[in-house]
Amino acid sequence: MRKLICISITLFIGIYCFGQEVECSTSLNTSSEQRFQNALGIGLQYQQGISTKFKLGFGVHYNFNNVNFSQLAYIDAIPFPPSVEKIHSKSKRVSFRLNIQGLLKNNEYVSISLGPEISYNYLWGNDDINMYYGGDTKWTNYSQKNDLTRAIGIGLISKIEVKDFIKPQLSLCFTIRPEFTANGVSAKGGSAAFSPAIGFVEFQIGLKYRFKK
């Protein structure tokens, strides 16, 4: 037991000696889901060096969008042309992310890192819909609450960090996060509007503060 405690303390001290960092960022999304195409976002991430070559990161990010788009709706049971839906959507996404980044380059001026990332996502929103039924002569207006959907995401994180930005412990960061979410599960009470599989590419710019030089 004493050996285990001593090993744990030594490991904790060793990890603590590496840099601890906090990053605040803004983002822009592209997505296969029209409701999140060009969505904006804000995020916060904590990073901990676990060796001279790797960093462990945990973060939370919030995306929101207010978008208009059109789509066709097919009703197989009725021999009419497809209906047209004009949708004004307000959608939101909260993503909890865990990643590990390998440092491809790291010096006093810049660092470049790449690594895998896993996330747990919550998606929800509301649609205002104008529908023109095939074969009809007028538009029908209604609102739709989109279910809270939970989905696991798998992706990559790639980051370029420009160090000594304004002050020695501050960095300017540029990050790209491609991600694929699958196995979406919807809660009860609304409409399952979101696809069970969604692709995202998130572009971030942020400021990072290092607690240790």
Side-chain angles (χ1 to χ4, degrees), residues 30 36 68 92 113 128 149 158 192 201 213:
T30 63
F36 288 102
N68 296 296
K92 300 175 178 64
S113 60
D128 292 322
T149 299
S158 59
V201 179
K213 296 183 179 180

Side-chain angles (χ1 to χ4, degrees), residues 69-84:
F69 63 92
S70 299
Q71 64 182 19
L72 298 178
Y74 293 88
I75 304 176
D76 296 333
I78 302 176
F80 288 144
S83 302
V84 178

Side-chain angles (χ1 to χ4, degrees), residues 5-22:
I5 293 174
C6 290
I7 292 173
S8 300
I9 293 174
T10 302
L11 182 61
F12 176 79
I13 293 174
I15 291 176
Y16 183 79
C17 288
F18 290 104
Q20 297 173 314
E21 305 166 334
V22 172

Side-chain angles (χ1 to χ4, degrees), residues 28-60:
L28 176 67
N29 269 336
T30 63
S31 177
S32 60
E33 168 59 65
Q34 294 186 82
R35 291 172 177 83
F36 288 102
Q37 182 67 23
N38 298 322
L40 300 177
I42 54 175
L44 181 67
Q45 175 162 293
Y46 170 82
Q47 292 179 167
Q48 170 72 62
I50 55 177
S51 74
T52 57
K53 294 294 184 180
F54 292 95
K55 293 180 180 181
L56 183 67
F58 176 77
V60 59

